[in-house]
Amino acid sequence: MEVDVLEFKVPVENNKTLFVWDIQPCHTQDQVYVRLLEVFSSFGPLYLLKVSPNSAPSPPGFYALIKFYSAAQASEALRQTDGRTLLQNSPLKVRLSSKQTPHFLSDGSRPLSHARCLELANHCLGFNGWTSDIITLKELTNEEEKDRGGEEDDESGGRWRRLKFGCLLQLSFPHHGQTTRAAAVVEDSFTCSGPDVLLQKRCRLQKMVREKALVQAFTTVLLILLGNGKVMVELKQTSDEFLPQQTEGVLQVHEVSWSEFAADEELDLTVS
């Protein structure tokens, strides 16, 4: 049985990237995009589909760059589309990328964005295939900063403020019996001109830290695609992974050393 592994990171490998060319100018660029999306997304979720016009001295027309999360799905798409007349009378050329990946991207360690994580998880597992729960979301701005409020700004009359939030989140896959946790910290410095600005900033940072913690949790997840169409979920073993909690009920965080991981997003805590 064929097995493929998907990770929640930006795909940079050549075996996940297809180039399509010899696209005739018989359709608009938007029409070409829609048709290619319909064809290639049928093989699996896409990270990227980009259609561009040919540059001189090439004849008028288009070419496309398509990135899959799965090498196996990219290979199957190549096999079934190369030399076919997908959106025109003449055949298209489809090839795996042979472009050299830049060194700073070669490790393939960049996590997906929050929106991409949701998209990939929902596509592979369904909307009911996973859940996320906030264990704690805490403002980490120290009391001295809260009381002082910063120095007055002569031009706007506002005060300089610094806000910091931390979030500990649990990501669960109930149908697979898997659970993982992750933490994140975000902070921002700004000139506060009134209570409305402060409230808006707090809400924005709370949303950002929740999303960042969820992205961090997804980086520990592996989606195992089986040849029969089924999906399994496994978790990476990391040195800083939280110990699994066996007790039922609400998790209580007794001690969180947030300051120790503000820079590198590592959490030191005791959970009962």
Side-chain angles (χ1 to χ4, degrees), residues 155-247:
E155 296 182 1
S156 66
R159 291 183 178 275
W160 182 88
R161 294 296 300 264
R162 176 173 174 266
L163 292 178
K164 182 190 292 186
F165 284 89
C167 179
L168 176 61
L169 177 143
Q170 179 167 289
L171 178 63
S172 302
F173 303 89
H175 303 309
H176 302 271
Q178 299 284 11
T179 299
T180 186
R181 301 173 192 162
V185 167
V186 299
E187 60 181 299
D188 194 14
S189 300
F190 60 100
T191 299
C192 181
S193 57
D196 290 344
V197 173
L198 183 60
L199 178 60
Q200 291 173 5
K201 183 67 69 172
R202 279 201 168 100
C203 292
R204 177 175 172 270
L205 290 179
Q206 288 174 0
K207 180 176 182 289
M208 288 176 60
V209 77
R210 290 195 304 267
E211 293 181 353
K212 188 175 181 180
L214 184 59
V215 168
Q216 188 65 27
F218 270 118
T219 62
T220 68
V221 176
L222 299 174
L223 300 179
I224 314 298
L225 307 185
L226 305 180
N228 58 7
K230 293 184 178 181
V231 180
M232 296 176 58
V233 176
E234 296 291 342
L235 300 178
K236 300 177 186 177
Q237 297 298 320
T238 58
S239 58
D240 58 347
E241 185 175 4
F242 300 116
L243 296 176
Q245 180 69 357
Q246 302 298 330
T247 58

Side-chain angles (χ1 to χ4, degrees), residues 52-240:
S52 303
N54 291 338
S55 301
S58 299
F62 305 96
Y63 67 94
L65 172 67
I66 303 170
K67 284 183 176 288
F68 285 82
Y69 293 100
S70 162
Q73 291 170 350
S75 177
E76 182 64 15
L78 169 63
R79 189 181 69 83
Q80 295 197 33
T81 59
D82 182 36
R84 304 293 178 89
T85 56
L86 301 177
L87 48 87
Q88 57 193 32
N89 294 327
S90 58
L92 296 178
K93 290 182 180 178
V94 183
R95 296 289 187 274
L96 282 174
S97 171
S98 58
K99 186 176 181 180
Q100 183 68 32
T101 302
H103 176 70
F104 68 94
L105 296 177
S106 60
D107 61 356
S109 60
R110 287 193 301 160
L112 294 177
S113 67
H114 177 261
R116 293 288 190 177
C117 286
L118 302 187
E119 181 182 83
L120 183 59
N122 290 335
H123 185 281
C124 295
L125 301 171
F127 292 97
N128 297 321
W130 63 278
T131 62
S132 64
D133 300 286
I134 295 174
I135 300 174
T136 185
L137 196 160
K138 182 178 180 181
E139 184 172 353
L140 308 178
T141 312
N142 62 48
E143 294 300 323
E144 181 181 353
E145 288 176 325
K146 289 181 181 179
D147 295 337
R148 187 176 65 245
E151 299 297 332
E152 186 170 342
D153 189 316
D154 294 335
E155 296 182 1
S156 66
R159 291 183 178 275
W160 182 88
R161 294 296 300 264
R162 176 173 174 266
L163 292 178
K164 182 190 292 186
F165 284 89
C167 179
L168 176 61
L169 177 143
Q170 179 167 289
L171 178 63
S172 302
F173 303 89
H175 303 309
H176 302 271
Q178 299 284 11
T179 299
T180 186
R181 301 173 192 162
V185 167
V186 299
E187 60 181 299
D188 194 14
S189 300
F190 60 100
T191 299
C192 181
S193 57
D196 290 344
V197 173
L198 183 60
L199 178 60
Q200 291 173 5
K201 183 67 69 172
R202 279 201 168 100
C203 292
R204 177 175 172 270
L205 290 179
Q206 288 174 0
K207 180 176 182 289
M208 288 176 60
V209 77
R210 290 195 304 267
E211 293 181 353
K212 188 175 181 180
L214 184 59
V215 168
Q216 188 65 27
F218 270 118
T219 62
T220 68
V221 176
L222 299 174
L223 300 179
I224 314 298
L225 307 185
L226 305 180
N228 58 7
K230 293 184 178 181
V231 180
M232 296 176 58
V233 176
E234 296 291 342
L235 300 178
K236 300 177 186 177
Q237 297 298 320
T238 58
S239 58
D240 58 347

Side-chain angles (χ1 to χ4, degrees), residues 5-77:
V5 179
L6 302 191
E7 298 185 63
F8 287 81
K9 64 182 184 180
V10 176
V12 297
E13 301 88 343
N14 285 342
N15 63 354
K16 297 179 180 178
T17 305
L18 299 180
F19 281 108
V20 182
W21 70 95
D22 280 356
I23 303 175
Q24 302 299 317
C26 51
H27 300 287
T28 67
Q29 186 169 334
D30 289 341
Q31 290 172 332
V32 171
Y33 177 92
V34 170
R35 179 55 180 152
L36 291 181
L37 179 63
E38 178 184 347
V39 171
F40 285 92
S41 63
S42 66
F43 297 99
L46 305 180
Y47 172 75
L48 174 70
L49 169 57
K50 182 178 181 181
V51 178
S52 303
N54 291 338
S55 301
S58 299
F62 305 96
Y63 67 94
L65 172 67
I66 303 170
K67 284 183 176 288
F68 285 82
Y69 293 100
S70 162
Q73 291 170 350
S75 177
E76 182 64 15

